Amino acid sequence: VELRVKSWAELFAHLAGFASINAWGSLQQQIFNGSPLLAVCVVPIGWIGLFVMYTGYDTVREYIATADDGKKDEFESLWDEEAEEVEHDIAGMSLSFLTVQALRFHISGVLPDQEGIEEWNMTVSHTGVQCKQLLGIGFLFFFLSLLPLVLEQKFKDGIHKCSHRMQELVTRITEVWNGFFMFGNAWCFFYGVKWALASSGFTSENALLSVVLALLLSALSFMFIFILDKVVDNKLLGEDSEVADAGVEKLITALGVLVGFSWEQSFDVAVSVVSASSKDYLPPAVSKLLMSVLLVAIVFPAWRLYILKTLHDLTDDEVDEGRFRLKLASDEHRELFLDKETEEHTLDMAHLRMKQHRRLALGKPMPEPGSGLKHLRVTTMGLVEVDKPGPWRPGKFSTRRVSLEEPLLA
């Protein structure tokens, strides 16, 4: 149920997020387009409008959830949590985009359209200084996104003493703040690199520029994510550096968002090119709608059934390490059984090791062979003592720390 709710929540969050960008962007284009300072005024207006809508939606959800028995059950709480998380993402994504629009207006002197697109001659004419300014603002957004982490550590005791309603309000403001600066960081990096790549003059085709930009940002992001992940896993920032580790994970999330934005823009350009070339047969709006539905039909099931499920398993803080290892071991055991190349002695060894993982996961003691006796296994190489699996501390943990590349049954 949780995965089903989360998958549909994520899908409609993106639809609502870009709808919010279009709505407040239209206001920015038609009324607040006189100057960069005027353009940024739409951001607080958008925040107030979204906050009023969110308050109304929260009231409706509370009424529906408590209408039957006066309290929330598990599924109603899940619905409320996912809806609030979606609202935070919508606010962060749309308000940060409007802010970056105003910043681009200030740097280049031209306000892009409500989708962030500039005229081609303007796109290729940005100077190196303008690119560096936008990238520098992106780094500033990242450092500002770390402030909630520091403030939470500093005022943690005071926040816990507040009323439940006040704690919820502080949490919502903090989450929107996080999303605003994280998405803002991604928007600045995306357009900053796009300006630099377009001004190099390597192509005059917008579609080719978009694909190369997406490939470049993906390669750079994956490289930095790999390095940062190793830094956290090897505790190079210290054993008790919670704020530093959280900052690194926030940067990894921002890079992931950047990759998503780059490919979204690339697909958007591709859809526009295809719809323009087929306008003699279908209206562009209809062809765009059909291609969007087809794309969702292809990507959404794979993302829902595999990617989201794996992400949920790897990021759920309430997963028990032993049970998680047991699940991985059982998956490995199934693959070994189905592989016709697997030798019999390998299956025997894998089965014994999976039994050991099961004992640890379920808290079952290992059978004692008796005083002075050893647990032995008969193999083609003779008698071999059965090794116990490596020690681990049972309890709650971050499954992100468990390597999926190391076989548990080898």
Side-chain angles (χ1 to χ4, degrees):
V1 174
E2 183 178 355
L3 288 177
R4 190 181 302 118
V5 172
K6 184 175 286 292
S7 62
W8 288 106
E10 289 284 344
L11 177 62
F12 288 114
H14 284 79
L15 292 175
F18 285 104
S20 178
I21 287 175
N22 193 279
W24 301 112
S26 299
L27 195 64
Q28 189 180 53
Q29 294 287 325
Q30 297 174 13
I31 301 176
F32 298 93
N33 59 358
S35 68
L37 183 60
L38 200 60
V40 82
C41 288
V42 77
V43 176
I45 295 174
W47 163 244
I48 294 173
L50 290 174
F51 183 78
V52 171
M53 284 190 288
Y54 291 171
T55 303
Y57 297 153
D58 188 52
T59 302
V60 171
R61 288 196 302 271
E62 289 290 331
Y63 175 78
I64 295 175
T66 59
D68 52 351
D69 55 2
K71 60 182 180 179
K72 288 184 181 179
D73 60 26
E74 178 184 355
F75 299 111
E76 290 165 342
S77 297
L78 176 63
W79 170 43
D80 190 46
E81 290 172 7
E82 292 298 332
E84 288 185 355
E85 186 176 337
V86 163
E87 290 169 351
H88 300 156
D89 288 344
I90 293 171
M93 181 168 68
S94 58
L95 297 178
S96 64
F97 181 83
L98 297 173
T99 303
V100 173
Q101 287 278 86
L103 291 170
R104 292 169 65 194
F105 189 7
H106 172 71
I107 294 172
S108 66
V110 176
L111 178 65
D113 68 15
Q114 63 194 48
E115 295 182 359
I117 301 174
E118 300 171 310
E119 294 291 337
W120 180 254
N121 60 346
M122 188 64 197
T123 302
V124 299
S125 63
H126 292 291
T127 64
V129 174
Q130 291 176 335
C131 299
K132 292 175 183 176
Q133 286 177 338
L134 193 55
L135 291 173
I137 294 172
F139 282 109
L140 177 61
F141 273 138
F142 168 69
F143 288 117
L144 289 174
S145 70
L146 299 179
L147 277 180
L149 298 175
V150 178
L151 294 176
E152 184 180 5
Q153 292 292 325
K154 186 175 182 180
F155 299 105
K156 180 166 56 177
D157 294 335
I159 293 174
H160 288 320
K161 294 178 182 178
C162 296
S163 63
H164 179 69
R165 187 70 179 177
M166 181 56 67
Q167 289 184 30
E168 281 192 344
L169 180 61
V170 171
T171 300
R172 299 210 72 173
I173 293 175
T174 303
E175 290 296 329
V176 172
W177 186 354
N178 278 328
F180 177 85
F181 288 116
M182 183 183 69
F183 284 113
N185 166 266
W187 290 124
C188 288
F189 280 179
F190 173 78
Y191 287 111
V193 175
K194 182 178 181 179
W195 283 1
L197 198 60
S199 61
S200 66
F202 85 97
T203 182
S204 59
E205 294 290 337
N206 191 27
L208 179 59
L209 173 64
S210 299
V211 173
V212 172
L213 177 62
L215 291 171
L216 176 62
L217 290 176
S218 298
L220 293 175
S221 297
F222 291 156
M223 180 181 68
F224 279 114
I225 288 173
F226 179 80
I227 294 173
L228 292 170
D229 192 60
K230 292 298 181 183
V231 168
V232 174
D233 288 346
N234 293 295
K235 300 187 181 300
L236 299 182
L237 300 176
E239 292 290 335
D240 300 319
S241 54
E242 293 184 8
V243 175
D245 287 350
V248 170
E249 293 190 5
K250 189 179 289 291
L251 179 56
I252 290 175
T253 302
L255 291 172
V257 171
L258 174 61
V259 173
F261 281 160
S262 63
W263 285 106
E264 184 276 328
Q265 293 288 318
S266 179
F267 278 115
D268 184 62
V269 172
V271 167
S272 298
V273 170
V274 173
S275 63
S277 62
S278 61
K279 62 182 179 181
D280 295 335
Y281 311 100
L282 281 175
V286 175
S287 58
K288 283 185 178 182
L289 176 62
L290 293 176
M291 283 185 283
S292 299
V293 171
L294 178 62
L295 183 62
V296 171
I298 295 173
V299 174
F300 182 76
W303 173 76
R304 159 66 180 84
L305 296 175
Y306 300 102
I307 299 177
L308 183 62
K309 183 177 182 298
T310 303
L311 177 65
H312 179 268
D313 290 341
L314 294 176
T315 56
D316 190 356
D317 291 333
E318 297 301 319
V319 176
D320 183 87
E321 179 175 7
R323 290 181 180 275
F324 185 74
R325 285 179 178 272
L326 181 60
K327 180 180 181 299
L328 296 181
S330 63
D331 291 341
E332 286 184 27
H333 197 259
R334 177 177 179 275
E335 293 299 323
L336 289 173
F337 248 104
L338 294 177
D339 187 0
K340 66 179 181 179
E341 302 296 329
T342 304
E343 300 289 343
E344 289 291 328
H345 67 87
T346 303
L347 286 176
D348 294 338
M349 180 67 177
H351 185 68
L352 285 174
R353 287 198 176 275
M354 191 172 72
K355 285 171 63 178
Q356 292 167 328
H357 284 295
R358 178 177 178 272
R359 293 188 191 102
L360 289 173
L362 303 180
K364 290 179 171 292
M366 190 168 185
E368 293 294 337
S371 177
L373 300 179
K374 294 182 178 180
H375 191 184
L376 301 176
R377 184 177 74 253
V378 180
T379 71
T380 56
M381 304 298 294
L383 296 177
V384 179
E385 184 175 358
V386 176
D387 298 323
K388 294 183 180 181
W392 55 271
R393 188 172 301 169
K396 305 305 178 185
F397 83 125
S398 173
T399 55
R400 181 179 171 275
R401 300 285 180 260
V402 178
S403 173
L404 298 180
E405 299 177 357
E406 298 178 1
L408 297 173
L409 303 180

